[in-house]
């Protein structure tokens, strides 16, 4: 059974989608062993506790330095015994030592169709503002493995979502989450947990 560590920063709706998918069998062969937040007030922590999953906050502010924060995070991941690290709305940019340690074993969800609207300055509502600002008619979400770059790792799944006239960044963000993120994040975990995909030359293919 694949052991998941889920890293969160906010509301935790993607975490909820994973919890629900494990409960109803859309994800098989996986369980969450720990939920870690960098933000004490993240509602995601409450969702984890309600589901009876060990949840902890590792806050940069309590660690003294960025380096010590990363060390604490790595230590928590290692001691959880996680096989796969899931960044589910996690706003922490992962340092090289964590990315290396979990090469092809750490995934992230991005709320756009990579390689559009991704990279350093594209996170949260900014992504959807940029999508509306450019006038594209289709956006979506992407689940990818995490590598050293920002949103540059091997793509596992993508799902398109139509932009509608009158959309605001908020309405679009909500629809991308409902129609795409909460669907493909669980699907990607299920594929990995059941050994259905592999990474070769930076590309994800079916086994
Ligand atoms: C999602 O839009 C995700 O794509 C982005 O942050 C948001 C997280 O939402 N990285 P939640 O905390 O899972 O509700």
């Amino acid at each position: 059974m694949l052991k998941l560590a889920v890293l969160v920063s906010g509301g935790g709706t993607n975490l909820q989608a994973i919890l629900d998918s494990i409960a109803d069998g859309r994800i098989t062969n996986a369980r969450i062993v720990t939920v870690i937040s960098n933000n004490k007030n993240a509602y995601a922590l409450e969702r984890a506790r309600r589901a009876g999953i060990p949840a902890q906050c590792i806050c940069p502010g309590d660690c003294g330095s960025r380096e010590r924060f990363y060390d604490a995070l790595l230590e928590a991941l290692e001691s959880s015994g996680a096989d796969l690290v899931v960044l589910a709305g996690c706003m922490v940019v992962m340092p090289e030592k964590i990315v290396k340690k979990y090469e092809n074993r750490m995934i992230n969800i991005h709320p756009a169709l990579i390689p559009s609207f991704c990279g350093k300055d594209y996170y949260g509502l900014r992504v959807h503002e940029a999508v509306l600002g450019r006038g594209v008619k289709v956006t979506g979400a992407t689940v990818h493995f995490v590598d050293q770059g920002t949103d540059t790792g091997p793509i596992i799944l993508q799902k398109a979502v139509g932009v509608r006239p009158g959309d605001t960044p908020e309405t679009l963000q909500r629809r991308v989450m409902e129609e795409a993120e909460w669907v493909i994040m669980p699907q990607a975990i299920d594929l990995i947990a059941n050994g259905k995909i592999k990474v070769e030359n930076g590309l994800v293919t079916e086994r």
Side-chain angles (χ1 to χ4, degrees):
M1 174 124 358
L2 193 78
K3 288 185 265 175
L4 312 174
V6 183
L7 270 52
V8 295
S9 297
T13 61
N14 280 287
L15 167 66
Q16 192 64 55
I18 298 166
L19 288 166
D20 294 346
S21 300
I22 290 173
D24 69 18
R26 275 174 293 155
I27 295 176
T28 57
N29 287 324
R31 67 187 173 96
I32 303 177
V33 292
T34 188
V35 171
I36 303 172
S37 173
N38 63 312
N39 165 17
K40 283 188 184 69
N41 300 317
Y43 185 66
L45 288 171
E46 179 60 27
R47 292 181 194 271
R49 289 187 193 115
R50 281 190 196 171
I53 288 163
Q56 57 177 316
C57 178
I58 300 178
C59 293
D62 297 341
C63 295
S65 72
R66 202 71 195 167
E67 249 353 270
R68 279 160 67 178
F69 165 63
Y70 292 142
D71 288 344
L73 195 54
L74 183 53
E75 203 180 300
L77 289 173
E78 285 176 340
S79 66
S80 75
D83 306 302
L84 182 71
V85 179
V86 179
L87 307 183
C90 174
M91 302 302 280
V92 177
V93 177
M94 288 298 143
E96 193 181 331
K97 63 181 159 196
I98 297 185
V99 173
K100 270 196 181 143
K101 165 93 196 189
Y102 289 96
E103 190 184 13
N104 295 336
R105 296 193 301 138
M106 176 159 40
I107 64 174
N108 180 49
I109 181 109
H110 181 73
L113 295 174
I114 291 173
S116 291
F117 306 105
C118 66
K120 199 167 81 56
D121 293 323
Y122 290 94
Y123 56 87
L125 270 184
R126 288 185 183 203
V127 175
H128 306 289
E129 283 163 6
V131 163
L132 292 174
R134 184 63 185 85
V136 297
K137 306 305 176 205
V138 177
T139 182
T142 303
V143 182
H144 62 93
F145 285 107
V146 176
D147 68 4
Q148 301 293 344
T150 306
D151 302 326
T152 53
I155 292 172
I156 304 168
L157 289 174
Q158 294 188 297
K159 189 164 188 286
V161 173
V163 178
R164 292 186 194 154
D167 261 336
T168 63
E170 289 80 8
T171 61
L172 188 57
Q173 179 183 50
R174 181 77 195 175
R175 205 160 61 257
V176 166
M177 286 172 37
E178 284 175 1
E179 293 182 11
E181 295 183 38
W182 303 343
V183 177
I184 61 174
M185 181 58 117
Q187 281 176 350
I189 293 170
D190 186 63
L191 288 172
I192 295 166
N194 289 287
K196 298 238 174 85
I197 55 170
K198 63 175 190 295
V199 184
E200 234 170 24
N201 304 322
L203 299 177
V204 173
T205 52
E206 284 180 22
R207 271 189 206 276

